[in-house]
């Protein structure tokens, strides 16, 4: 599902649209946008130059390639780009009475309830009129909120001059207002060399506090999945996977019917059920994803004069990839079930299983102190230090402190008194005390497990037990076959000897023994001695077991 070409394609596209600066202003690019003026400079500069070049499409073919950059030559723009804005209504927040004479308008943060659905500005084109969404794309989760589809939308022209005039017209007529909360720039590219689609979304969020926060998404996905011979090999592997999934599901259903409630007492059985559930979800995602590609891809590729919404397919590709990643993670964890016959691995699993209760008790105490420090850091430094700007950021910042990555200067500057106190006490209690207690619990349990193993109290695990049992069964079969052969041979020897030396028909007591008969008598005596030795061993084992009781 992932190959290095995806990373390199994302890197090329991000350097083109994120790192390219405005001509004459080397520090102004999409990442550094902080005002509406910077935003329009980016739209009329780097974005315009990135999307358009000296030559455009003519019946899906490029002309004048000698004047084109290699980036443009290798990637084809699918359809036309789209720009979309979401706004909030006026009076979605309340102005304090003492300031109402100075400020009559109030635009709150974005929520679906606060969204402005009315037309504004010139009210002549789609960019001034609210449009509902006709796609199934998921809502966008940004820094400041979750933004739904629809909004004030316009698509760009295939002419660079027309698009530039469009941007200038929107800027002069104040398309971005005080109620603007987010602007999306969506477009898609295709690279035939590696058979990858790159779906790009540039996002500019306008918080109620002012300023602009930028973010971006670059999804390189393989929508045309079965093209080469290797792709068909992958398809055969997927079919084989489905067959194995059916077989394993049947086996687990039989086990549940056989063992009933006892089946659910093993953690490995729960892991098996979880893996089967994840596999079924992954197969469902894959089926739905391929059906949507079959239904939508052809239509999207034909609509060259309109915006082609590949974002929906890209999101489902990411969902499917994430599900596969989680499934494979638990499949790797399941390997512990099969390597328990190894002494080191069995000691590790025994240590973790034996100290789990102590770890849970310790974890409760650890997180009480950890969250207390996280709340302290958020309240003291939250308004000034980015690492503590939210409670979640405070938690991650403290994990980074434990790992040695911290910004002590920022903490000290935010609060010269509480900053050093917070840092020193956190390092002392969490790093020097609690973490060492955690290591002591594991070390003490490991010592106990190692001592038990040294005196032979090693637990039996499934794979080791299975291998041992199979080995014993094979030995018993061979031993039984050998014993039967020996018994038959000894029976023949006995019958021959009795017939020769103990026959009632023979009157003479003296019977000469031939060399062959002497050899048979000797072998018979040896076999009797072996049987006697085997019986003595079994008798000694029984005596030792009785003595142990």
């Amino acid at each position: 599902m992932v190959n290095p070409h995806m990373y390199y394609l994302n890197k090329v596209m991000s350097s083109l649209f994120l790192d390219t600066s405005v001509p004459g202003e080397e520090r102004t690019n999409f990442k550094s946008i902080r005002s509406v003026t910077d935003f329009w400079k980016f739209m009329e500069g780097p974005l315009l130059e990135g999307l358009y070049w000296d030559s455009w499409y003519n019946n899906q073919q490029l002309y004048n390639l000698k004047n084109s950059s290699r980036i443009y030559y290798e990637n084809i723009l699918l359809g036309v780009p789209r720009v979309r804005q979401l706004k909030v209504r006026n009076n979605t927040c309340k102005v304090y009475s003492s300031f109402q004479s100075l400020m009559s308008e109030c635009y709150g943060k974005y929520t679906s309830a606060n969204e402005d659905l009315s037309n504004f500005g010139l009210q002549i084109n789609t960019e001034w009129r609210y449009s509902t969404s006709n796609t199934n794309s998921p809502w966008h989760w940004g820094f400041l909120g979750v933004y739904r589809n629809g909004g004030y939308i316009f698509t760009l022209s295939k002419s660079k001059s027309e698009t530039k005039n469009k941007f200038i017209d929107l800027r002069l007529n104040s398309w971005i207002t005080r109620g603007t909360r987010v602007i999306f720039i969506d477009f898609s590219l295709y690279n035939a060399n590696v058979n990858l689609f790159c779906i790009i979304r540039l996002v500019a969020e306008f918080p109620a506090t002012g300023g602009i926060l930028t973010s971006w998404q670059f999804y390189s996905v393989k929508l045309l999945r079965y093209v080469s011979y290797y792709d068909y090999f992958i398809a055969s592997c997927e079919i084989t996977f489905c067959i194995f999934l059916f077989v394993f599901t049947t086996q687990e259903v039989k086990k549940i019917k056989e063992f009933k409630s006892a089946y659910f007492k093993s953690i490995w059985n729960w892991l098996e059920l979880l893996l089967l559930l994840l596999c079924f979800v992954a197969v469902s995602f894959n089926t739905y994803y391929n059906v949507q590609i079959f239904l939508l891809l052809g239509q999207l590729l034909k609509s060259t004069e309109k915006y082609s919404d590949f974002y929906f397919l890209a999101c489902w590709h990411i969902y499917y990839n994430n599900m596969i990643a989680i499934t494979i993670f638990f499949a790797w964890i399941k390997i512990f079930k099969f390597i328990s016959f190894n002494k080191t691995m069995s000691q590790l699993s025994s240590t973790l299983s034996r100290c789990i209760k102590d770890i849970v008790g310790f974890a409760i105490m650890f997180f009480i102190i950890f969250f207390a420090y996280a709340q302290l850091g958020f309240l003291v430094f939250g308004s000034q230090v980015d690492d503590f700007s939210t409670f979640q950021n405070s938690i991650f910042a403290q994990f980074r402190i434990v790992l040695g990555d911290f910004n002590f200067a920022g903490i000290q500057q935010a609060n010269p008194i509480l900053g050093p106190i917070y840092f020193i006490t956190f390092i002392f209690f969490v790093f020097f005390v609690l973490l060492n207690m955690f290591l002591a619990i594991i070390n003490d349990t490991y010592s106990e497990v190692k001592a038990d193993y040294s005196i032979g109290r090693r637990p039996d695990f499934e794979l080791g037990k299975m291998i041992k049992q199979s080995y014993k069964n094979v030995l018993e079969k061979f031993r039984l076959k050998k014993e039967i052969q020996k018994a038959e041979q000894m029976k023949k020897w006995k019958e021959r000897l009795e017939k020769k030396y103990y026959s009632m028909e023979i009157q003479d007591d003296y019977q000469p023994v031939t060399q062959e008969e002497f050899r048979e008598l000797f072998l018979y005596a040896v076999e009797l001695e072996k049987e006697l030795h085997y019986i003595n061993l079994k008798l000694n084992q029984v005596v030792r077991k009785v003595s142990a009781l």
Side-chain angles (χ1 to χ4, degrees):
M1 301 306 299
V2 178
N3 62 67
H5 295 302
M6 294 181 176
Y7 167 75
Y8 294 128
L9 183 58
N10 287 339
K11 185 177 180 181
V12 169
M13 292 297 105
S14 62
S15 64
L16 176 62
F17 292 103
L18 301 181
D19 301 328
T20 304
S21 302
V22 175
E25 300 182 22
E26 297 300 328
R27 295 184 179 181
T28 304
N29 53 32
F30 184 77
K31 294 180 179 179
S32 62
I33 292 176
R34 293 296 179 267
S35 65
V36 176
T37 303
D38 293 340
F39 179 81
W40 285 119
K41 287 182 179 179
F42 168 78
M43 297 289 284
E44 299 172 18
L47 179 65
L48 201 65
E49 297 298 329
L51 293 175
Y52 300 87
W53 52 94
D54 294 338
S55 58
W56 242 110
Y57 294 100
N58 181 15
N59 295 327
Q60 298 300 311
Q61 299 295 327
L62 289 173
Y63 63 93
N64 196 17
L65 294 176
K66 295 181 180 179
N67 297 327
S68 301
S69 169
R70 181 170 178 80
I71 294 178
Y72 309 125
Y73 177 75
E74 301 293 349
N75 300 279
I76 300 175
L77 185 64
L78 302 174
V80 293
R82 183 188 68 177
V83 180
R84 180 167 65 96
Q85 176 188 180
L86 294 177
K87 300 174 58 181
V88 295
R89 301 187 309 273
N90 186 18
N91 298 322
T92 50
C93 53
K94 186 177 181 181
V95 180
Y96 190 67
S97 57
S98 301
F99 295 96
Q100 289 180 356
S101 59
L102 303 174
M103 182 179 296
S104 59
E105 298 179 340
C106 186
Y107 297 88
K109 67 178 182 178
Y110 176 86
T111 61
S112 58
N114 294 340
E115 186 175 354
D116 189 1
L117 306 180
S118 61
N119 302 330
F120 76 106
L122 301 180
Q123 301 186 8
I124 54 175
N125 295 320
T126 57
E127 60 266 25
W128 306 100
R129 297 174 178 271
Y130 186 86
S131 302
T132 57
S133 174
N134 56 359
T135 65
N136 296 322
S137 298
W139 293 7
H140 182 85
W141 192 348
F143 288 130
L144 305 175
V146 179
Y147 305 99
R148 64 181 187 177
N149 300 319
Y152 304 91
I153 304 171
F154 69 92
T155 56
L156 305 185
S157 171
K158 285 193 172 183
S159 171
K160 181 178 180 180
S161 59
E162 290 181 10
T163 301
K164 186 171 184 180
N165 292 334
K166 186 76 168 181
F167 287 157
I168 294 174
D169 180 65
L170 293 175
R171 172 169 56 83
L172 295 178
N173 290 283
S174 301
W175 187 65
I176 299 177
T177 65
R178 288 183 57 193
T180 300
R181 287 295 171 261
V182 65
I183 294 178
F184 299 97
I185 305 169
D186 297 299
F187 54 95
S188 303
L189 301 166
Y190 176 69
N191 190 303
N193 296 338
V194 291
N195 188 26
L196 290 178
F197 291 79
C198 187
I199 291 84
I200 300 174
R201 168 169 286 185
L202 307 179
V203 184
E205 296 181 72
F206 297 74
T209 57
I212 299 178
L213 299 176
T214 58
S215 59
W216 48 87
Q217 292 178 341
F218 292 85
Y219 294 146
S220 291
V221 297
K222 188 175 182 179
L223 301 182
L224 301 173
R225 296 187 58 190
Y226 307 112
V227 177
S228 63
Y229 291 111
Y230 179 74
D231 296 334
Y232 288 110
F233 169 73
I234 296 297
S236 64
C237 292
E238 292 174 346
I239 295 174
T240 306
F241 173 83
C242 293
I243 296 173
F244 274 99
L245 178 59
F246 175 77
V247 173
F248 291 147
T249 303
T250 305
Q251 290 181 352
E252 292 305 312
V253 170
K254 290 182 179 179
K255 288 182 181 179
I256 293 175
K257 290 182 178 180
E258 180 180 357
F259 297 102
K260 297 181 179 180
S261 60
Y263 174 87
F264 300 97
K265 295 181 180 180
S266 173
I267 187 65
W268 297 115
N269 292 336
W270 283 101
L271 180 60
E272 193 76 42
L273 293 178
L274 176 62
L275 269 174
L276 291 176
L277 176 62
L278 292 174
C279 289
F280 276 109
V281 173
V283 171
S284 302
F285 276 25
N286 186 34
T287 304
Y288 179 78
Y289 171 62
N290 286 323
V291 169
Q292 292 300 319
I293 289 178
F294 177 78
L295 296 176
L296 300 177
L297 188 59
Q299 300 176 6
L300 293 174
L301 294 176
K302 291 179 181 178
S303 58
T304 59
E305 301 296 330
K306 299 179 181 179
Y307 167 69
S308 299
D309 189 7
F310 288 90
Y311 189 76
F312 171 74
L313 297 178
C315 289
W316 272 101
H317 178 91
I318 298 301
Y319 297 156
Y320 174 57
N321 187 47
N322 293 342
M323 183 56 59
I324 289 293
I326 296 173
T327 304
I328 292 176
F329 171 80
F330 283 106
W332 275 98
I333 297 299
K334 186 182 173 182
I335 294 179
F336 282 104
K337 178 181 178 180
F338 302 113
I339 59 176
S340 58
F341 63 90
N342 180 268
K343 182 179 180 181
T344 302
M345 299 308 302
S346 61
Q347 285 182 353
L348 174 62
S349 58
S350 299
T351 301
L352 295 178
S353 60
R354 186 176 298 189
C355 69
I356 187 66
K357 294 183 179 179
D358 295 333
I359 290 178
V360 170
F362 167 81
I364 295 174
M365 178 180 63
F366 174 83
F367 282 108
I368 288 175
I369 298 176
F370 192 84
F371 287 140
Y373 272 100
Q375 190 73 58
L376 173 64
F378 169 60
L379 295 176
V380 175
F381 317 117
S383 61
Q384 302 182 53
V385 182
D386 179 60
D387 291 341
F388 295 88
S389 57
T390 64
F391 182 68
Q392 294 86 347
N393 287 351
S394 299
I395 294 174
F396 289 117
Q398 291 188 161
F399 280 117
R400 289 168 56 191
I401 290 175
V402 172
L403 297 175
D405 180 16
F406 53 85
N407 181 16
F408 177 74
I411 296 174
Q412 188 178 28
Q413 185 178 0
N415 196 312
I417 298 176
L418 291 179
I421 294 176
Y422 161 85
F423 183 79
I424 293 173
T425 55
F426 177 81
I427 290 295
F428 177 77
F429 287 109
V430 175
F431 189 77
F432 288 110
V433 178
L434 294 180
L435 287 184
N436 283 286
M437 287 179 61
F438 174 75
L439 296 176
I441 291 173
I442 296 180
N443 187 42
D444 184 59
T445 307
Y446 179 74
S447 300
E448 294 179 1
V449 170
K450 198 171 182 181
D452 291 344
Y453 275 53
S454 63
I455 60 176
R457 296 157 101 189
R458 178 180 178 178
D460 291 329
F461 295 96
E462 186 170 345
L463 185 60
K465 185 186 297 184
M466 182 177 67
I467 294 175
K468 289 180 180 179
Q469 188 63 36
S470 301
Y471 177 72
K472 288 182 179 179
N473 292 337
V474 172
L475 285 182
E476 288 179 359
K477 289 181 180 179
F478 279 107
R479 182 180 297 173
L480 180 61
K481 185 176 181 180
K482 189 175 181 180
E483 293 295 334
I484 292 174
Q485 293 176 351
K486 289 181 180 179
E488 291 178 353
Q489 187 177 8
M490 291 179 67
K491 184 178 180 181
K492 291 180 179 179
W493 288 346
K494 184 178 179 182
E495 290 176 353
R496 289 176 59 186
L497 292 173
E498 287 180 349
K499 185 177 180 181
K500 183 175 181 65
Y501 297 103
Y502 300 98
S503 175
M504 298 300 295
E505 298 176 358
I506 302 175
Q507 301 297 327
D508 192 1
D509 293 337
Y510 175 76
Q511 297 289 337
V513 179
T514 65
Q515 186 175 1
E516 180 66 23
E517 291 175 343
F518 180 79
R519 188 180 70 82
E520 291 181 358
L521 286 171
F522 178 77
L523 292 176
Y524 181 59
V526 170
E527 293 297 331
L528 289 177
E529 185 178 2
K530 288 182 179 179
E531 289 294 326
L532 181 61
H533 179 69
Y534 177 74
I535 293 173
N536 287 332
L537 289 177
K538 289 292 184 180
L539 183 61
N540 291 334
Q541 290 179 0
V542 173
V543 172
R544 282 197 297 269
K545 290 182 180 180
V546 173
S547 301
L549 296 176

